[in-house]
Amino acid sequence: MSYLFITNLSIRNFRNIPALDLAPGPGVNIIYGDNAQGKTNLIEALYLLTGQKSFRQTKESEFVRFGEKKAQIIAAFSGGSRDQEVSLTLEGGKRSALLNDLPLSVGELTGRFFAVVFSPSELSLVQDGPSQRRAFLDGAITQVMPRYQKTMADLSRVLFQRNNLLYDVARHPGMDETLLEVWDRSFAKLSYSIINARVRYLTRLAPFGEEIYRGISGGKEALSMAYQCSIPGEWGSLGEQEGEALILSALEKNRREDLKNSCTTIGPHRDDLDLRVNGVSARAFGSQGQQRSCALTLKLAECRVIREVSGEQPVLLLDDVLSELDKTRRDYLLSGLAPGQLFITCCDRSGFSSIREGITWRIREGQLAAKRRITPKKKKE
């Protein structure tokens, strides 16, 4: 197994960062400083190189620093015994990319550069509604199966058209409903692909998650995860034709309900990831500590799946999240990681005395200063 690591990073006019150049180490890199100095912006810039959307709720037009026309992120990275360079330009609310000086769509970056981010918002993965957990699954699947992104976009388009038609039919009772059958077939085909991909991904993720959670809890608790589909069926064992037929049948049975609500009330856009600790729902009954352990487990298990599928350890981005974890979970995270490149942001670097080797930088007003290398202490003779 190899691991990806960034050798040089250049950021220009991204959010509050005017110009930042960083030569990170292949191991632990700690960026510390006060709030609103650019720590999360740096992590966000790194994550955008995966070709996925930002982990923050934001408009793409907000990426460019105020008063500037465009922003640029360039990174040289090594992985799979190959040195590469990726460039991302953000201008006019749009993104364009280069890989080794060759133009490609931003979506084509996915599967070329791997990174997993764990931010405070991820702590709500368990506490919030199903949409958060669906987004986690879809983002994780896309990294190891880039074509999944297009399937999701196609489903979104079909769902929009079907919902519009449902609205029109509901408002005009005499309107011909046969056009719905056309959208139903498209919806069933795409839905099967998505449900099947999620179930297969979860088959890989669950064993890693169970192992990691046992480690976090010291073997005292067990985590289980299952795909909760709004259309009951033996998903994972159904072939394409059987699966699509089952979805079509469910849509037909549910049509009156869909017309009543003027929207599609069943399908992958309504599914959930069920997380249970010792057989009890983590969302409904888990303590805050258990819920945070579940969120941490999902992210670490995602790293393991990427490593298994691609043969490369992804870059791990921890954005101001360690302060939200107690000492037991923090120590497990820092000690249990596989070798690889790690970026940690925090307000105070003093909480990382357990880290024996790495580099720290202070960030202020979007610029780096006060570089310091952490070196292993020599044993006394």
Side-chain angles (χ1 to χ4, degrees):
M1 184 200 78
S2 64
Y3 63 91
L4 286 171
F5 63 95
I6 294 169
T7 54
N8 284 284
L9 175 68
S10 173
I11 301 174
R12 296 291 183 270
N13 299 321
F14 182 78
R15 293 197 182 270
N16 77 327
I17 300 175
L20 184 150
D21 294 290
L22 175 66
V28 178
N29 298 274
I30 299 172
I31 295 95
Y32 70 96
D34 295 335
N35 291 327
Q37 298 304 305
K39 300 188 300 293
T40 298
N41 296 341
L42 190 154
I43 294 295
E44 182 181 32
L46 284 169
Y47 187 69
L48 288 175
L49 296 176
T50 64
Q52 300 208 57
K53 292 182 179 179
S54 171
F55 56 90
R56 303 159 87 180
Q57 299 295 325
T58 186
K59 296 178 181 178
E60 297 209 351
S61 58
E62 296 172 359
F63 289 149
V64 181
R65 190 166 180 254
F66 183 75
E68 300 292 340
K69 292 184 178 180
K70 69 178 181 179
Q72 193 169 48
I73 306 161
I74 303 174
F77 67 97
S78 181
S81 68
R82 219 182 134 196
D83 294 330
Q84 302 190 72
E85 184 180 271
V86 58
S87 172
L88 187 65
T89 300
L90 307 110
E91 185 175 10
K94 296 181 180 180
R95 294 187 282 172
S96 59
L98 295 173
L99 183 66
N100 304 323
D101 292 325
L102 296 175
L104 70 171
S105 70
V106 172
E108 288 177 307
L109 290 179
T110 304
R112 312 291 184 95
F113 175 79
F114 297 107
V116 172
V117 64
F118 188 37
S119 70
S121 63
E122 260 75 37
L123 292 172
S124 63
L125 257 176
V126 184
Q127 299 168 341
D128 287 357
S131 62
Q132 289 275 61
R133 291 179 287 282
R134 287 196 302 269
F136 161 75
L137 277 176
D138 294 336
I141 293 168
T142 299
Q143 288 227 53
V144 294
M145 192 172 73
R147 67 180 181 277
Y148 181 81
Q149 199 166 29
K150 183 179 184 304
T151 306
M152 285 295 301
D154 289 344
L155 178 72
S156 180
R157 177 181 57 80
V158 169
L159 189 60
F160 177 79
Q161 296 291 350
R162 187 177 192 271
N163 287 345
N164 279 346
L165 186 56
L166 285 167
Y167 180 87
D168 289 341
V169 172
R171 295 299 179 275
H172 305 89
M175 188 173 174
D176 187 4
E177 296 183 19
T178 54
L179 188 56
L180 271 172
E181 296 174 6
V182 176
W183 292 115
D184 284 359
R185 286 193 293 274
S186 296
F187 181 83
K189 187 174 186 63
L190 293 166
S191 294
Y192 171 78
S193 295
I194 289 168
I195 294 170
N196 191 50
R198 287 175 178 174
V199 171
R200 286 191 295 114
Y201 182 82
L202 203 55
T203 301
R204 286 182 179 271
L205 188 79
F208 291 135
E210 291 165 7
E211 176 191 336
I212 291 166
Y213 194 92
R214 273 198 308 272
I216 294 174
S217 67
K220 297 176 182 177
E221 297 173 344
L223 172 69
S224 62
M225 37 181 108
Y227 189 67
Q228 206 168 56
C229 191
S230 56
I231 301 174
E234 296 296 321
W235 298 108
S237 61
L238 291 176
E240 186 176 356
Q241 289 186 338
E242 294 174 302
E244 290 179 18
L246 181 61
I247 295 168
L248 281 170
S249 175
L251 288 172
E252 186 178 351
K253 291 176 184 176
N254 211 58
R255 182 169 292 181
R256 293 304 109 192
E257 188 69 19
D258 286 356
L259 286 168
K260 178 182 174 183
N261 290 278
S262 296
C263 67
T264 307
T265 56
I266 56 173
H269 60 296
R270 294 297 182 100
D271 295 351
D272 198 359
L273 170 60
D274 185 36
L275 301 168
R276 293 182 175 268
V277 176
N278 292 339
V280 178
S281 169
R283 183 192 181 199
F285 303 107
S287 67
Q288 189 174 73
Q290 288 173 326
Q291 291 175 341
R292 288 181 173 181
S293 291
C294 288
L296 177 58
T297 293
L298 289 174
K299 286 295 176 175
L300 293 180
E302 180 186 356
C303 287
R304 297 275 288 273
V305 173
I306 290 174
R307 193 171 77 199
E308 181 182 72
V309 174
S310 71
E312 293 183 317
Q313 174 72 11
V315 175
L316 184 57
L317 312 171
L318 302 180
D319 179 37
D320 204 19
V321 76
L322 294 185
S323 61
E324 302 287 335
L325 302 174
D326 60 30
K327 187 177 185 303
T328 300
R329 292 174 178 83
R330 187 166 61 245
D331 288 348
Y332 177 86
L333 174 59
L334 294 176
S335 64
L337 292 172
Q341 192 172 49
L342 174 64
F343 289 85
I344 302 173
T345 66
C346 58
C347 292
D348 184 3
R349 66 180 179 182
S350 62
F352 299 94
S353 56
S354 61
I355 294 177
R356 298 181 179 179
E357 193 170 2
I359 306 174
T360 68
W361 285 270
R362 183 178 181 183
I363 190 167
R364 181 187 291 172
E365 296 181 353
Q367 296 181 314
L368 294 175
K371 177 181 176 182
R372 180 184 174 190
R373 190 172 293 275
I374 306 170
T375 56
K377 293 180 180 179
K378 293 183 179 179
K379 292 183 180 180
K380 293 181 180 180
E381 295 291 338

